[in-house]
Amino acid sequence: MSDLLHFLDQIWLARYVILKGLGLTVSISALAIAAGSVLGILVGLSLTYGNILLRSVVRIYTDFVRGTPVLVLVLASFYILSAVGIDLNAFQAGVLALAVFCSSHVGEIVRGALQAIPKGQTEAAKAIGLTFRQTFVSVLWPQALRQMLPTWVNTAAEMVKASTLLSVIGVAELLLRTQEIISRNFMSLQFYFLAGLLYFVINYGIERFGKYVERKTAVPS
Amino acid sequence: MSDCLLEISGLRKFFGPVEVLKGVDFSMREGEVVSIIGSSGSGKTTMLRCINMLEEFQGGTIRLDGETIGYEETASGRKRKSETEIARQRALTGMAFQQFNLFPHMSAVENVMLGLVKVKKMGREEAREIALKWLERVGLAERAGHYPGQLSGGQQQRVAIARAIAMNPKLMLFDEVTSALDPELVGEVLQVIKDLAADGMSMLLVTHEMRFAYEVSSRVIFMNQGVIGEQGDPKVMFNAPQSERLAEFLKTSSFV
């Protein structure tokens, strides 16, 4: 009992540190997911509708990024970019690396969703005189969005987990903050558990939100 | 011929090295109902799809209501028209497909409205009014708010026909519209087509329903190996086929 009280007491003492770390984790993840999704949509559109040249370039990009460990991307973004004169701080470099990683996954999700739509949909849209742009906006994209929502939510949760890797370049997100706290009070088991719990809460929230949107946008059948 | 609605001459189409249309000549007047019959692989559907440029074609011309469809002759040769121009020309015809191809994320009435709003630039209220009118014509006024997944195959096909016809096309193209339906649902779709025919709608139908072709068509075309083998009044053709190929085809299809 006194152990628990002691733990709670330590949490209370470290509350601002924990909240700061949590806030940073959420900001990193949100920025990476947002930027990665926007970039990923462009990647997916290029892979689906681009000409052979664009398609090849983007294909190399996605295959390269997806074949590289995220940790390597984070380190490369931080150390290599500064070596070639692009000066990003650790936070910016980290978010960039995660966004790039996210974009390659979202790109594949978008491509898969668009290609899964039966050809008859495009033909029917053409047959009533819709241009390609109109067909895309009214017919293809709304169907693709519904199709890719579950996988996209999964990717978003992956990004939250990947944000812990920014601790290695000194971004004081939740994991690094937790390690700081542990180095002071040596309660490693308890505080790693707390961190794990907080990550779970974020990802569970994302998942519930995804399910909610899925329900809201479901087509009646 | 100036009273021609559709005039196809020397239509040639290749799928890779395979020539599927080997110089098709065909014309029809406004108000005519023409059925295209023939065994699978004879080029019926391909010909239909060339008329609204769902298929590219490599030779010949298609003229619809005085317009040359899809391509234009320039000094440097034959050139595909711009996408915008082709999109506009596609709206001259309406098409119903074997697989219906309704947009699953839109209700029946929204399916019909889409072309009216986006292509005809109508206001939503006006478009809805017209859409509801056509849904009523195909007997689905009460299903206007239903989504395709909530409708039977026959109902979906009727919505698809309403969607095409609401655009007020010069010519309706029907591509084996009953082939994907359960037998008990075929009748309701054929009835809709018959009603449209009675209204004087110009129609070109690819069909396997020989009895229906016999009843509804003013003319039947028998396609054979990429060309028109025989054509004429269905009563004459079906009862006294000129060529052996047609006689054989009629024997193997369910027409009795």
Side-chain angles (χ1 to χ4, degrees):
Chain A
M1 194 62 200
S2 70
D3 281 357
L4 181 62
L5 283 176
H6 180 58
F7 179 38
L8 290 176
D9 190 40
Q10 288 297 317
I11 293 176
W12 182 250
L13 278 174
R15 63 191 184 278
Y16 290 118
V17 182
I18 295 171
L19 281 176
K20 264 192 200 159
L22 186 65
L24 203 54
T25 286
V26 170
S27 333
I28 292 165
S29 309
L31 279 173
I33 292 165
S37 297
V38 170
L39 193 58
I41 288 169
L42 297 178
V43 166
L45 292 180
S46 308
L47 287 174
T48 317
Y49 300 118
N51 62 25
I52 180 89
L53 180 72
L54 181 62
R55 244 177 22 239
S56 313
V57 171
V58 176
R59 170 54 60 203
I60 291 168
Y61 166 82
T62 51
D63 283 357
F64 178 77
V65 171
R66 291 200 312 151
T68 312
V70 199
L71 181 57
V72 174
L73 288 177
V74 171
L75 293 170
S77 175
F78 186 52
Y79 292 110
I80 298 180
L81 285 184
S82 66
V84 298
I86 303 171
D87 224 8
L88 297 180
N89 64 32
F91 176 82
Q92 293 164 334
V95 169
L96 175 68
L98 292 185
V100 164
F101 181 70
C102 182
S103 76
S104 69
H105 281 262
V106 172
E108 288 292 345
I109 295 169
V110 169
R111 182 191 60 78
L114 284 170
Q115 286 180 348
I117 299 172
K119 234 178 77 211
Q121 292 290 307
T122 309
E123 292 188 347
K126 278 181 176 172
I128 52 174
L130 262 58
T131 61
F132 174 74
R133 182 185 293 266
Q134 291 170 329
T135 303
F136 182 79
V137 170
S138 301
V139 176
L140 302 178
W141 190 239
Q143 293 188 54
L145 275 180
R146 287 179 176 85
Q147 164 103 17
M148 67 195 178
L149 185 65
T151 348
W152 182 85
V153 166
N154 196 39
T155 302
E158 287 299 326
M159 298 315 296
V160 175
K161 293 187 232 166
S163 73
T164 53
L165 295 169
L166 269 58
S167 59
V168 299
I169 53 171
V171 178
E173 43 67 72
L174 183 57
L175 182 64
L176 192 61
R177 289 294 191 193
T178 304
Q179 287 167 340
E180 267 175 41
I181 296 164
I182 291 170
S183 69
R184 258 182 270 130
N185 60 23
F186 303 108
M187 298 174 73
S188 57
L189 192 64
Q190 293 89 326
F191 275 88
Y192 277 132
F193 174 79
L194 179 67
L197 187 70
L198 290 172
Y199 281 112
F200 172 77
V201 168
I202 298 174
N203 279 344
Y204 188 71
I206 291 177
E207 197 219 335
R208 295 314 306 170
F209 178 70
K211 285 273 185 293
Y212 169 78
V213 176
E214 226 175 296
R215 252 199 329 275
K216 278 282 165 197
T217 58
V219 173
S221 65
Chain B
M1 287 210 292
S2 60
D3 60 342
C4 260
L5 173 67
L6 176 69
E7 197 173 3
I8 298 177
S9 61
L11 181 64
R12 299 181 72 194
K13 159 81 187 170
F14 294 83
F15 281 121
V18 185
E19 189 172 20
V20 285
L21 295 176
K22 304 171 182 169
V24 175
D25 295 301
F26 166 76
S27 64
M28 66 182 280
R29 292 184 313 278
E30 211 174 303
E32 261 195 294
V33 176
V34 180
S35 293
I36 310 175
I37 60 170
S39 47
S40 53
S42 61
K44 324 179 282 292
T45 290
T46 308
M47 172 183 158
L48 204 68
R49 289 165 58 88
C50 284
I51 297 170
N52 66 357
M53 286 294 284
L54 285 184
E55 298 289 352
E56 313 274 310
F57 50 95
Q58 285 75 38
T61 54
I62 297 176
R63 289 178 66 78
L64 179 71
D65 199 36
E67 288 192 35
T68 309
I69 298 295
Y71 302 90
E72 56 198 351
E73 293 298 334
T74 62
S76 54
R78 188 167 178 268
K79 204 172 133 266
R80 198 174 189 275
K81 293 188 177 183
S82 73
E83 278 310 315
T84 346
E85 177 64 4
I86 287 174
R88 187 190 63 76
Q89 290 192 325
R90 282 194 179 113
L92 296 173
T93 56
M95 189 172 203
F97 299 84
Q98 185 175 349
Q99 301 294 344
F100 333 133
N101 297 342
L102 287 181
F103 307 129
H105 58 299
M106 297 181 191
S107 66
V109 68
E110 286 166 349
N111 263 277
V112 183
M113 284 169 65
L114 183 66
L116 298 172
V117 172
K118 297 281 171 182
V119 180
K120 300 250 181 210
K121 311 288 179 202
M122 274 179 201
R124 287 191 70 81
E125 279 321 300
E126 190 190 356
R128 183 177 296 275
E129 221 166 273
I130 293 174
L132 288 173
K133 188 192 86 185
W134 280 107
L135 285 176
E136 197 177 335
R137 275 294 307 274
V138 300
L140 290 171
E142 302 92 75
R143 295 276 187 277
H146 285 54
Y147 285 77
Q150 301 171 309
L151 299 172
S152 73
Q155 291 171 335
Q156 288 189 50
Q157 191 60 289
R158 281 146 66 197
V159 174
I161 292 171
R163 176 177 68 181
I165 207 129
M167 295 295 288
N168 197 18
K170 302 272 181 199
L171 170 68
M172 268 300 293
L173 308 170
F174 293 89
D175 184 13
E176 299 187 24
V177 287
T178 57
S179 299
L181 293 175
D182 293 337
E184 73 268 23
L185 301 176
V186 169
E188 61 187 70
V189 172
L190 293 185
Q191 190 55 49
V192 164
I193 299 175
K194 270 186 190 167
D195 292 347
L196 292 172
D199 283 359
M201 185 79 214
S202 311
M203 304 201 271
L204 193 53
L205 312 101
V206 169
T207 184
H208 290 296
E209 301 279 339
M210 292 303 144
R211 167 60 60 186
F212 177 71
Y214 184 85
E215 284 170 11
V216 79
S217 321
S218 48
R219 185 151 53 107
V220 169
I221 290 178
F222 172 59
M223 292 270 296
N224 187 28
Q225 298 182 340
V227 290
I228 293 179
E230 206 172 312
Q231 59 174 305
D233 186 287
K235 291 172 185 65
V236 179
M237 262 178 83
F238 282 32
N239 295 320
Q242 296 295 301
S243 64
E244 212 164 290
R245 294 296 311 222
L246 176 56
E248 210 164 286
F249 173 75
L250 289 174
K251 217 188 295 170
T252 53
S253 48
S254 52
F255 183 76
V256 275

